[in-house]
Amino acid sequence: LSFSCGQQPPPSHSLLRFPGFQRTEAPRSPGAKDLHAYPWDKSSLKSMPVDLQQFEKLDAYALKVNVKNSVEELVKALLKQARTDLEKVRAIWMWICHHIEYDVVGYHNKSQLSSKPRDVLQMGKSICEGYAELFEEMCSIAGIQCKKLSGHAKGHGYKTGQTFTGDSDHAWNAVYLEGRWHLLDSTWGSGSVDDSFTKFTYRYNEFYFLTHPALFINNHFPDNSNWQLLKPTLTLKEFENNMLHNSNFYTLGLLAAHPETPIIQTVNGKASVSVDCRPGTLFMFKLKGTDEQGLMTLKKHGMELDIYPQKTGSHKLEIFAKPSKGEASDDVYNCVLEYVVECGSVDKAMRFPKELHQPVGPSWFSERQGFLRPSHRQPVLLTRDGRCCLTFTLGRDISVLSSLHADGGSLPEDVGRRHVMQIHRGNQIELKVHLPHAGSFVLKLYSKKKSDPGNYDYVFNYLIRCLNTEVKWPAFPESYGKWMQDYEILEPLSGLLPANRNVQFKLKMHGIAKVLVQAENIHPLTYNRGCWEGTCNTSGCTEVFVMVHENANHSFYSQVLKYEVERQ
């Protein structure tokens, strides 16, 4: 969380001169050449080209400087390694962000607080006013034009959609580099405070160094609109209504979010949000703390989310993101957006099963796990007759597991697996799904490398819906270890056979010597054009097994399929 710093006196500018440093002139007001176009052109996060790798040595040096006796001595020590004005500003910025902590006690008791640069340096802590004055003073000593700015900020305690009245509540700086003004906020660059505003944590944030003005305006509104450095400038009303994108939003490579206003009204019980980003970003969301009341789909360049709140009223919606690959520290999802969803009516039909995982449907992420060319790209499958069929091309060395899930315990795990039949044809896999009844189901897909002995990993899921209450498909027959993945049942597909009937069998199997169907009697199948065929009578038995003889010289049979017979 960033934070603000209470009321403050109007900005004062100290023009001090110290021996050995050039004197700074009075800062000029921003002119046409300082302005950047609004809205943001999605080019750079900074207002001038900056190569952070070139700063590595200087940054490391600045962090180690330990001078506390006077501001002048501190600047002198920092500038030993800095040649250009940009390097001087960088050294001052790095030192302040890593050595001055936010004074949470002083914030609550401002009468005891001094924001004079000398006092801030001695104490090693201050509120934003002190950060900004120290920054201004150090730049002035270094011969760089710098101005302390004040205004309103969407910082600690900001509530979505709130208005700003009265005195300004935050301070930051503008610095003059290479013929233009640039913005920075060393308070927010240094770290964050906790929700209760009692503890400060150093957490360096590069985003607030020379931030592009079209992004800085997102949460900083200066008292003097010239210091927005924007063309056109925003009104306070526009600032209040604009969506707050925190620094995580931009540092994770996100580009835009829709809607662009923070308060969303549902239409017929539904609200939609989408985010545009650079490829390879993972998302999650929470509506009132859970992800159960929405459908999120990952797109190559972002994500789309439909929310169906199951209660009327105002709900907080948070969107989180993280890069899909990167350093170990990137395992954490960071909050990038907050909306308030105002729900006037509830769409009860859009209650989702608890088993549904976000995101829903295939995406670049499932492709990366080896599920290529999905026949169904949508997250939701609607079926009239309770049956559906999906196909994928599988990546090399991929083994697949699938299962069907429903709410209310109507589908125990072993039964849920038998309502999906997997058929392999070369590198294609077909999944036949037969639903046991009407309602909402989750089809989950898992995979692993065939060469790995380990467990299957969950990859993605679909939502399957059927409104036809007459649907009642039995499970597919149970298969055993000797049933190879490229075998195929042509008939009977139902795992429940009628009693006292002749049932036709047709099975696609290869590389075996004999196939028998064992009911009350044994019925051999005959091989004909790649299929084993024959009939079997189900009278007098409760189970029917298909057995195979792998080698004509052996008398040993293996069970491969098991069917149940209807009770009479």
Side-chain angles (χ1 to χ4, degrees):
L1 284 161
S2 312
F3 37 86
S4 310
C5 72
Q7 298 171 357
Q8 55 202 33
S12 62
H13 186 73
S14 47
L15 283 178
L16 302 165
R17 186 166 180 212
F18 297 98
F21 291 102
Q22 83 187 71
R23 182 200 168 106
T24 60
E25 317 118 48
R28 68 164 179 80
S29 292
K33 68 175 181 173
D34 298 295
L35 305 184
H36 294 255
Y38 182 86
W40 184 48
D41 61 8
K42 302 190 169 99
S43 58
S44 166
L45 300 182
K46 305 231 178 258
S47 52
M48 65 187 280
V50 172
D51 180 354
L52 294 178
Q53 282 180 314
Q54 292 200 328
F55 285 147
E56 279 175 6
K57 265 191 172 147
L58 176 65
D59 289 354
Y61 170 77
L63 297 194
K64 288 201 185 83
V65 169
N66 186 16
V67 177
K68 290 280 173 81
N69 52 346
S70 81
V71 182
E72 295 89 322
E73 292 298 320
L74 171 59
V75 174
K76 202 187 264 177
L78 283 172
L79 296 199
K80 279 185 184 144
Q81 297 284 322
R83 299 182 320 282
T84 63
D85 281 359
L86 173 59
E87 286 176 352
K88 291 173 187 175
V89 168
R90 178 70 179 188
I92 292 168
W93 157 268
M94 283 311 269
W95 193 90
I96 290 179
C97 287
H98 291 85
H99 291 85
I100 305 298
E101 64 175 285
Y102 194 83
D103 188 350
V104 284
V105 178
Y107 172 84
H108 295 292
N109 187 6
K110 296 199 185 65
S111 57
Q112 307 295 307
L113 202 63
S114 164
S115 54
K116 290 197 175 79
R118 188 186 62 234
D119 297 333
V120 173
L121 182 61
Q122 301 288 292
M123 294 287 293
K125 57 169 90 168
S126 185
I127 57 173
C128 59
E129 184 81 12
Y131 279 88
E133 288 198 17
L134 179 60
F135 204 100
E136 184 184 54
E137 172 96 338
M138 289 173 75
C139 284
S140 181
I141 295 168
I144 290 158
Q145 288 190 48
C146 176
K147 187 165 172 57
K148 187 185 83 177
L149 304 174
S150 51
H152 292 295
K154 292 181 179 176
H156 190 277
Y158 168 74
K159 297 269 185 296
T160 300
Q162 79 172 58
T163 55
F164 292 89
T165 51
D167 294 340
S168 54
D169 58 21
H170 192 48
W172 57 93
N173 298 94
V175 288
Y176 195 70
L177 292 170
E178 297 181 16
R180 276 180 111 174
W181 282 106
H182 302 272
L183 301 169
L184 46 78
D185 183 341
S186 57
T187 313
W188 289 11
S190 67
S192 56
V193 293
D194 61 346
D195 289 347
S196 60
F197 216 93
T198 51
K199 182 171 177 285
F200 169 81
T201 307
Y202 277 115
R203 189 182 294 120
Y204 175 69
N205 193 337
E206 176 62 44
F207 182 74
Y208 292 106
F209 180 68
L210 311 184
T211 316
H212 193 295
L215 302 182
F216 204 74
I217 193 66
N218 192 24
N219 43 20
H220 292 75
F221 189 83
D223 294 336
N224 175 343
S225 62
N226 290 339
W227 285 108
Q228 292 179 21
L229 306 184
L230 290 176
K231 190 173 87 186
T233 55
L234 272 73
T235 63
L236 181 60
K237 192 92 208 104
E238 288 172 312
F239 173 73
E240 290 169 346
N241 291 342
N242 273 357
M243 189 67 211
L244 173 61
H245 298 151
N246 62 25
S247 59
N248 289 327
F249 184 92
Y250 297 107
T251 48
L252 284 166
L254 309 190
L255 300 168
H258 312 279
E260 290 174 340
T261 49
I263 295 170
I264 315 173
Q265 313 283 345
T266 58
V267 177
N268 301 328
K270 170 182 165 182
S272 298
V273 171
S274 65
V275 178
D276 303 337
C277 66
R278 301 196 164 89
T281 310
L282 292 169
F283 292 88
M284 60 176 267
F285 73 92
K286 286 200 157 44
L287 182 74
K288 289 188 91 167
T290 84
D291 68 354
E292 286 168 13
Q293 295 162 19
L295 267 186
M296 184 177 79
T297 50
L298 276 188
K299 302 290 178 205
K300 188 177 178 191
H301 293 281
M303 73 90 171
E304 290 172 7
L305 170 63
D306 291 332
I307 289 286
Y308 300 90
Q310 292 299 303
K311 279 194 179 140
T312 55
S314 284
H315 308 292
K316 179 160 114 175
L317 170 64
E318 296 165 292
I319 311 257
F320 303 83
K322 73 169 186 179
S324 62
K325 49 175 185 269
E327 307 79 66
S329 63
D330 291 339
D331 293 345
V332 200
Y333 278 96
N334 280 299
C335 184
V336 289
L337 288 168
E338 263 187 41
Y339 287 96
V340 172
V341 178
E342 296 192 337
C343 177
S345 67
V346 169
D347 183 351
K348 286 275 185 242
M350 294 310 272
R351 257 218 172 100
F352 300 123
K354 291 235 182 325
E355 287 278 354
L356 190 67
H357 276 295
Q358 307 291 344
V360 186
S363 66
W364 56 266
F365 183 75
S366 54
E367 254 178 43
R368 197 189 275 180
Q369 311 295 316
F371 288 85
L372 314 171
R373 299 189 200 82
S375 55
H376 295 69
R377 296 200 169 270
Q378 294 308 314
V380 185
L381 305 175
L382 295 169
T383 162
R384 275 281 315 135
D385 68 357
R387 295 184 295 184
C388 55
C389 185
L390 303 93
T391 60
F392 301 92
T393 300
L394 292 182
R396 287 185 51 195
D397 189 32
I398 297 282
S399 185
V400 174
L401 194 68
S402 50
S403 57
L404 194 68
H405 302 260
D407 271 356
S410 66
L411 265 185
E413 194 170 328
D414 54 329
V415 182
R417 280 213 192 104
R418 286 179 45 214
H419 276 274
V420 190
M421 184 156 78
Q422 298 185 179
I423 302 155
H424 289 259
R425 301 186 184 98
N427 62 351
Q428 290 267 320
I429 184 171
E430 181 185 335
L431 302 176
K432 282 191 199 297
V433 181
H434 286 187
L435 301 181
H437 51 77
S440 291
F441 295 84
V442 180
L443 173 65
K444 290 192 184 177
L445 296 161
Y446 304 79
S447 76
K448 74 178 184 81
K449 282 195 152 49
K450 285 180 191 162
S451 47
D452 279 2
N455 293 333
Y456 284 85
D457 290 324
Y458 167 78
V459 181
F460 71 114
N461 55 190
Y462 283 96
L463 177 65
I464 303 179
R465 313 189 67 151
C466 176
L467 300 175
N468 179 355
T469 51
E470 287 168 19
V471 159
K472 191 172 185 250
W473 289 101
F476 293 107
E478 197 169 334
S479 60
Y480 297 110
K482 294 277 185 184
W483 179 262
M484 298 298 162
Q485 64 171 26
D486 55 353
Y487 290 177
E488 189 179 337
I489 304 172
L490 298 176
E491 58 182 341
L493 282 178
S494 166
L496 190 61
L497 303 178
N500 305 324
R501 287 276 176 81
N502 282 331
V503 176
Q504 183 69 31
F505 276 77
K506 189 171 184 185
L507 308 169
K508 233 185 201 172
M509 298 153 82
H510 58 81
I512 40 186
K514 272 189 190 168
V515 182
L516 309 176
V517 178
Q518 181 187 12
E520 192 178 27
N521 300 313
I522 288 190
H523 306 264
L525 301 185
T526 50
Y527 188 69
N528 180 15
R529 296 199 204 140
C531 291
W532 293 87
E533 298 178 278
T535 52
C536 146
N537 190 285
T538 59
S539 53
C541 64
T542 57
E543 294 174 331
V544 170
F545 292 94
V546 176
M547 334 260 280
V548 299
H549 210 39
E550 292 171 63
N551 186 324
N553 301 327
H554 291 178
S555 57
F556 184 72
Y557 281 88
S558 309
Q559 294 182 343
V560 288
L561 294 175
K562 173 182 157 189
Y563 290 84
E564 309 274 329
V565 177
E566 281 178 345
R567 300 265 189 275
Q568 291 186 321

